[in-house]
Amino acid sequence: MQVDVYGVDPKEIPGIEAGLVTWWTLRGATSLSDLCNEWYHECLDDNFKPSAVGAGTALWKAVSGGKFSKYNEDGLIVRKLPKERSAWAIVKERIRGRREDADLTYETLMKVWLGDNLEPVFHQPSNIQLDMALFFDGNEYDKWFDEASAQIENNFHDNLDNLDSRDMSNWLIDVLQNYIAGIRLRQRGGIYYVPPDRVALWQNIINIIDAVGSTSKSGDTSHVIYTMPVVKSEQVTQAVLDSLSAEVNACVEKISEDLNAGIQNRAITNRKGRALALDEKLAAYKSLLGSGLETLETKVEDLRASITELELMNGY
């Protein structure tokens, strides 16, 4: 795997003191164990280390995507089984007849679900009645079932052992927003701002991804992470303040709604942690925004006071 990092250390350019902007393009799979090992080696916060996707998600990906998706070209579709949390059916769809007499026929070829041991369970319908010559090359349904089952199972374990590009991006967004104290500069995300005090930490994480890439056995994986230093100016300060205000105000509003709804016990503790995280995030922007943070700081302070009052009312 190749990881390219485009950017300049702000410390190397006179007058650069306003953090940086970062974004990325990701392709292919990243070894979860290698990523975690590098994370531990750098002694970074364990709360933000990458984690495997859930077994149900891994199975869904194995059934609906990856190498197995080639079967969709042969008229196979995947359907979620009703009333089952992690169970799907692979169904054959075919058009029979011509013009006004044409109709769709369906046949369930396989059912797969997550067993109690969190491993895939495969079921071959006992009442299957296929015209084999129409669905497969000769009477090869049993062979297809065995090969498809093996492929799904292999893909399932690969999905647990690796992060695909979407998993990787979701993890990076979580790290940026909640560990680095970064903010998204666009409403839909994609481009993020890193405050001055967290630039070194973000660069360290980029280096970790680079280190994992240098040892990857996958030849079809490449991640490109861009960083662009920002010169402090009135426009930059306003853009950062606007984005930070939108995020903090939305979070304060949501937590306030939860408090007014009468949450208790663990839910209150959870909201208390989120309010504290807001306080810590604002602190990361103090050197850049200064007195511009006063309104946001007051909102978060009032929110924490409301949480404390609710704790007292509930006796803890």
Side-chain angles (χ1 to χ4, degrees):
M1 178 175 74
Q2 177 185 1
V3 178
D4 295 323
V5 181
Y6 296 93
V8 181
D9 186 345
K11 296 179 181 178
E12 297 179 359
I13 302 180
I16 302 285
E17 54 181 275
L20 56 80
V21 172
T22 188
W23 67 100
W24 53 79
T25 60
L26 308 173
R27 182 172 65 88
T30 305
S31 168
L32 178 61
S33 60
D34 290 348
L35 202 54
C36 286
N37 287 339
E38 290 294 330
W39 191 266
Y40 286 129
H41 183 264
E42 294 298 322
C43 301
L44 299 178
D45 191 333
D46 191 59
N47 291 320
F48 295 99
K49 73 178 186 299
S51 58
V53 299
T57 299
L59 183 56
W60 161 243
K61 289 181 177 182
V63 172
S64 63
K67 296 178 180 179
F68 189 69
S69 62
K70 69 180 183 181
Y71 292 113
N72 293 342
E73 299 172 3
D74 299 326
L76 297 194
I77 54 179
V78 178
R79 288 287 180 261
K80 184 80 170 63
L81 290 176
K83 299 182 180 180
E84 295 289 347
R85 187 172 183 179
S86 298
W88 295 271
I90 298 174
V91 180
K92 179 69 180 183
E93 178 186 75
R94 185 172 179 82
I95 299 177
R96 292 180 179 270
R98 295 184 179 181
R99 297 182 181 178
E100 68 274 5
D101 296 327
D103 199 2
L104 286 172
T105 61
Y106 300 90
E107 187 77 50
T108 299
L109 304 183
M110 173 192 291
K111 293 182 180 179
V112 55
W113 61 85
L114 201 61
D116 293 337
N117 61 348
L118 299 183
E119 289 289 330
V121 176
F122 301 93
H123 173 71
Q124 182 173 332
S126 58
N127 60 342
I128 190 168
Q129 295 182 10
L130 293 174
D131 183 344
M132 296 300 181
L134 293 175
F135 282 80
F136 302 97
D137 296 329
N139 298 325
E140 295 187 345
Y141 168 69
D142 289 338
K143 179 181 178 182
W144 172 87
F145 185 93
D146 292 340
E147 290 179 351
S149 300
Q151 192 170 86
I152 290 173
E153 188 162 12
N154 288 336
N155 291 346
F156 168 76
H157 289 289
D158 283 344
N159 291 335
L160 291 177
D161 295 338
N162 298 280
L163 299 179
D164 64 19
S165 58
R166 179 174 294 183
D167 300 328
M168 191 74 174
S169 186
N170 289 338
W171 172 66
L172 285 174
I173 292 170
D174 179 54
V175 167
L176 256 175
Q177 293 187 317
N178 299 307
Y179 187 25
I180 304 295
I183 53 174
R184 60 184 184 183
L185 294 178
R186 298 191 309 174
Q187 187 174 2
R188 294 182 297 173
I191 301 177
Y192 300 88
Y193 171 79
V194 178
D197 295 344
R198 305 297 173 89
V199 167
L201 180 57
W202 178 237
Q203 186 61 55
N204 193 19
I205 292 172
I206 293 176
N207 293 340
I208 286 175
I209 298 172
D210 191 16
V212 172
S214 66
T215 60
S216 174
K217 298 179 181 179
S218 175
D220 61 349
T221 301
S222 64
H223 299 328
V224 183
I225 301 177
Y226 301 90
T227 63
M228 185 172 67
V230 178
V231 179
K232 187 173 183 179
S233 68
E234 183 177 345
Q235 286 184 326
V236 167
T237 301
Q238 189 62 51
V240 172
L241 180 58
D242 288 348
S243 296
L244 181 63
S245 297
E247 180 179 320
V248 172
N249 286 333
C251 192
V252 168
E253 182 178 350
K254 180 62 174 67
I255 295 176
S256 298
E257 290 177 357
D258 293 341
L259 298 179
N260 292 332
I263 59 174
Q264 297 181 354
N265 304 329
R266 292 178 60 183
I268 297 177
T269 302
N270 174 272
R271 301 324 186 268
K272 183 177 182 179
R274 288 165 59 182
L276 178 60
L278 285 178
D279 230 357
E280 294 173 347
K281 192 161 195 172
L282 291 178
Y285 288 82
K286 194 70 174 178
S287 63
L288 176 66
L289 301 177
S291 59
L293 291 174
E294 290 179 357
T295 300
L296 295 178
E297 289 172 333
T298 299
K299 287 186 177 182
V300 174
E301 183 179 348
D302 291 344
L303 177 66
R304 294 184 65 183
S306 298
I307 293 174
T308 299
E309 181 179 353
L310 190 57
E311 285 181 319
L312 295 174
M313 290 176 58
N314 283 270
Y316 70 99

